[in-house]
Amino acid sequence: MTAEASTRDTAGERPVVDTTYGPVRGVDDGTVKAWKAIRYAAAPVGELRWRAPQPPAAWSEPADAGRVGPVCPQPTDPRIPIDLGAPQGEDFLSLNVWAPPDTKPGDGKPVMVWVHGGAYILGSASQPLYHGRRLAADGDVVVVTVNYRLGAFGFLELSTLGADPERFATNLGLRDVLAALGWVRDNIAAFGGDPDKVTLFGESAGGGVVTTLLGSPAAAGLFSAAIAQSSPVTSSYEADRAGRVAQRFLDVLDIGPRDLGRLAELPTAAIVAASRTVFDEVPVRTPGRLAFAPIVDGDVVPDYPVNLARKGLTHPVPLIIGTNKNEAALFRWMKSPLMPIKPESIRAMFAEIAAEQPSLQLPDQTRLGGAYRGRETIKGLGLASDLGFRMPSIWFADGHRAVAPVYLYRFDFATAMLRLLRLHAAHATELPFVWGNLGAVRKDPMFALGGRKVGAAVSQRVRTRWTSFAAHGEPRGQAGEPTWRPYGADDRATMVIDKQDSVVDDLDADVRRAWGDDVLSFL
C-alpha cells in the first residue's frame, strides 16, 4: 500500500498525511513543513530488544508529529557534548520529515535520507545540527532523518556466541535503517517526495552505514544515489571478533551464554553502562578498532564493503564520497582513543595486523615516511586520518567507479577559530555547512573570530551541490563554479572545498602510492 492522501486540519497550519500505519499531523510554518517522530517500527523493548525491526501497531486518529520524540539510549561523554535534541527513551525507532512549504502529494521532489554519525554508539536524528529546515526549503528537496539502534542495542552480535539468530539478529542498526528506507519507499510520495529518487547520505558512522548498505543485497532498490561523508569504510569486522566483544559485554553484566534470556529484562541503564565500558576498552586494547560496528554476517553484509566494491558488487548508484583534510585533529583535541594518533598506538595497530596476517605486505616505514615527511601532520595526524578515513574512502571509490559515477571530495575549509584551536578541517566540521545550520550547536566557537560571511558562502555552495546531486545524480555547482568531474582512473578528479572550490587531479597521489593495495586484504 502506498500512502497518497494529505489534508489540513481545521487550524490550517497542521498538515495531516496518511501513512501505511496511520495518519500523522505535522506543522507548516510557511517556510517549511515538518512531521517529526513518525514511527517506522515498533519500540524495541522486551523480546523485541534484539530482534529485527517489526511494524508498529497501526493507529487511526492523527498522531501528533509536531515535535521530536525519544532517541536511542546511549552513554554521555563530556568530551563529546552532543545535544541530542530530545530525551532518551525506548520508543525511538522513528524518523523526521521536512518538505518545502508548497509541497503537495505527488510532487515528486528529490528525497534525502540522513543517517547520523557517532561511532555507532552516540547521536540522534533530532540533533539541532540536523534540522532539515534550510536544506529542504533552499534545496527544494524532502529531507528525512532516521533514528536507529546504537551501541549494544544495534551492534551487539550475540548470534556469534550461538544465540538464536531470530531472537538476536545480526546488524540490527543496519536493519533499522533498511526498515526506515522501506518506510520512505512506501510513504514519501504522500509528503511530496519521489520514492524512486532517494539519496542516502550520512557522516562518520552514518557514512559507514551508507558504504555498507551500498554492498548489501537487502538495500537493492531502496535508494538511487548515495553520499558518504568521512566514512570509516573499513570499520566492519568478522564474526569471530564480534563474538569476543559480545563475550566481554556479557562478562561485564555477569551473564552466561545460557542466560541470554535475562537480557530482555535488564534495565536500559544497565545495557547502556555495559556498552560504555566495552566501548571504552576496545580501542585501548586494540587501537583503531570499535567495539560496536557492522559485521560480515553473510546476510545483510555478505563481505567487507571495500571487497564488494572492488569486485563490482556494490549497487550501481552514483556516489559522492570524501573526507575532511584534518580528520584526526578532533580525536587529538578530545584526547579520544577512538583513533590511534600517538606513534606507539599506530605502531601497535600495525604490529597487530602483522601478527594476525604475517603474509600481508604492509607499507614500510620508509615508504610511508616519504609520503608524510614535511607535513603539518608529521606527528601522526596525517597517517591516522588516512588510515581511518581517507584511504578507505579512496579504495571504495576506486572499486565503485566501475559500476557508477563517483565524485570524490576533500573538505579543507576552516575558520580562524578552528585554526587557532589546531582543529582546522577536523572530523565533523563540514556538518554545519552541509545542513546550513551555522551556529546551531550551543557554545560553538567556530565563528568566534569571524568568518561567518565566508562560511555562509561555503555552506551555500556545498548545499547546492548536495541537493543538485539528489535531483540529477551529479553535483552541479552555482554559475561560475568549477565543474566537479567524476573520479576516473586517468585523472582521479577531486573537488577541494575551501574558501574557493577547486578541482585537482590526483590530489592524493603521494599517499595513495605509499599505501598501495596490499593492506586491503586485511583492512
Side-chain angles (χ1 to χ4, degrees):
M1 174 182 177
T2 300
E4 296 181 348
S6 178
T7 61
R8 288 180 180 270
D9 67 6
T10 54
E13 297 177 353
R14 301 294 308 275
V16 176
V17 173
D18 286 332
T19 75
T20 49
Y21 300 123
V24 292
R25 178 183 290 114
V27 175
D28 182 353
D29 65 5
T31 299
V32 72
K33 294 180 180 179
W35 298 263
K36 300 176 182 178
I38 305 174
R39 288 186 181 90
Y40 68 84
V45 297
E47 287 299 316
L48 297 183
R49 181 171 268 173
W50 278 288
R51 288 183 183 268
Q54 301 296 310
W59 61 90
S60 58
E61 294 299 316
D64 184 6
R67 64 182 66 185
V68 294
V71 305
C72 182
Q74 57 195 269
T76 57
D77 189 335
R79 296 169 301 182
I80 312 174
I82 296 177
D83 181 357
L84 296 175
Q88 300 180 31
E90 293 186 314
D91 189 5
F92 62 86
L93 291 182
S94 64
L95 49 78
N96 309 309
V97 179
W98 288 267
D102 297 327
T103 304
K104 302 180 298 299
D107 278 357
K109 294 183 183 297
V111 181
M112 301 183 73
V113 178
W114 175 253
V115 186
H116 69 79
Y120 297 108
I121 195 171
L122 304 170
S124 81
S126 55
Q127 291 174 234
L129 187 59
Y130 308 142
H131 283 190
R133 182 185 183 90
R134 292 291 301 276
L135 198 61
D138 295 353
D140 199 29
V141 296
V142 176
V143 175
V144 181
T145 63
V146 178
N147 282 321
Y148 59 103
R149 276 174 276 192
L150 304 170
F153 298 110
F155 299 96
L156 178 69
E157 304 301 346
L158 292 166
S159 64
T160 61
L161 301 180
D164 178 359
E166 182 175 346
R167 189 177 182 187
F168 297 97
T170 57
N171 287 312
L172 283 166
L174 299 180
R175 294 178 190 270
D176 290 343
V177 176
L178 288 167
L181 287 168
W183 184 96
V184 169
R185 176 197 59 207
D186 297 339
N187 292 280
I188 207 64
F191 296 85
D194 184 346
D196 295 321
K197 191 175 287 186
V198 174
T199 296
L200 182 66
F201 73 132
E203 181 266 349
S204 195
V209 171
V210 172
T211 49
T212 302
L213 292 185
L214 275 165
S216 173
L222 291 178
F223 54 92
S224 57
I227 302 173
Q229 301 168 207
S230 301
S231 169
V233 181
T234 50
S235 290
S236 55
Y237 307 117
E238 77 282 359
D240 287 347
R241 182 191 172 281
R244 293 192 293 273
V245 172
Q247 184 60 61
R248 175 57 185 152
F249 179 84
L250 294 180
D251 290 344
V252 171
L253 290 171
D254 194 24
I255 291 178
R258 296 183 179 180
D259 298 322
L260 295 181
R262 291 175 52 197
L263 290 171
E265 304 167 358
L266 283 180
T268 298
I271 302 294
V272 171
S275 295
R276 173 63 184 270
T277 297
V278 178
F279 176 76
D280 287 344
E281 289 178 352
V282 166
V284 174
R285 294 178 177 178
T286 53
R289 308 298 178 89
L290 296 171
F292 305 107
I295 70 161
V296 178
D297 61 359
D299 180 15
V300 175
V301 186
D303 197 353
Y304 297 102
V306 169
N307 287 347
L308 292 169
R310 297 181 84 199
K311 295 173 183 177
L313 297 177
T314 44
H315 299 304
V317 302
L319 169 68
I320 290 176
I321 189 168
T323 64
N324 296 354
K325 184 178 182 180
N326 312 100
E327 294 278 356
L330 177 67
F331 301 92
R332 177 187 62 184
W333 186 70
M334 295 191 307
K335 297 181 173 60
S336 169
L338 286 179
M339 178 174 285
I341 294 173
K342 295 180 179 179
E344 57 268 27
S345 297
I346 295 174
R347 284 194 297 268
M349 181 174 182
F350 274 83
E352 179 187 359
I353 293 173
E356 293 184 6
Q357 297 281 325
S359 62
L360 184 64
Q361 296 299 310
L362 293 170
D364 59 42
Q365 294 296 319
T366 301
R367 193 166 67 175
L368 284 178
Y372 292 96
R373 186 174 295 115
R375 297 186 177 197
E376 174 271 333
T377 53
I378 191 66
K379 294 182 180 179
L381 292 186
L383 181 57
S385 295
D386 291 343
L387 174 63
F389 298 102
R390 188 66 185 176
M391 289 311 305
S393 293
I394 289 173
W395 294 328
F396 194 92
D398 279 333
H400 189 73
R401 72 180 181 205
V403 300
V406 172
Y407 298 89
L408 183 69
Y409 76 87
R410 192 180 74 188
F411 186 86
D412 286 18
F413 180 71
T415 64
M417 190 63 183
L418 291 179
R419 294 193 297 271
L420 179 66
L421 294 172
R422 299 175 64 212
L423 283 168
H424 300 274
H427 188 66
T429 55
E430 90 285 7
L431 289 172
F433 301 94
V434 169
W435 287 89
N437 292 329
L438 306 183
V441 177
R442 287 182 294 180
K443 300 181 180 179
D444 182 358
M446 182 176 291
F447 296 104
L449 296 179
R452 192 179 189 91
K453 182 177 180 181
V454 174
V458 172
S459 176
Q460 183 63 59
R461 295 199 308 272
V462 171
R463 285 182 287 124
T464 296
R465 293 192 185 277
W466 262 229
T467 55
S468 67
F469 178 74
H472 307 292
E474 57 184 57
R476 301 174 183 177
Q478 299 171 338
E481 290 296 313
T483 299
W484 191 349
R485 307 191 310 275
Y487 179 76
D490 296 329
D491 58 7
R492 296 178 179 271
T494 305
M495 174 65 74
V496 177
I497 301 171
D498 207 334
K499 290 181 181 179
Q500 298 296 326
D501 295 345
S502 60
V503 177
V504 179
D505 287 351
D506 210 356
L507 176 69
D508 305 282
D510 290 346
V511 295
R512 184 173 50 80
R513 284 192 291 265
W515 279 91
D517 290 331
D518 293 337
V519 73
L520 288 180
S521 62
F522 181 87
L523 295 174

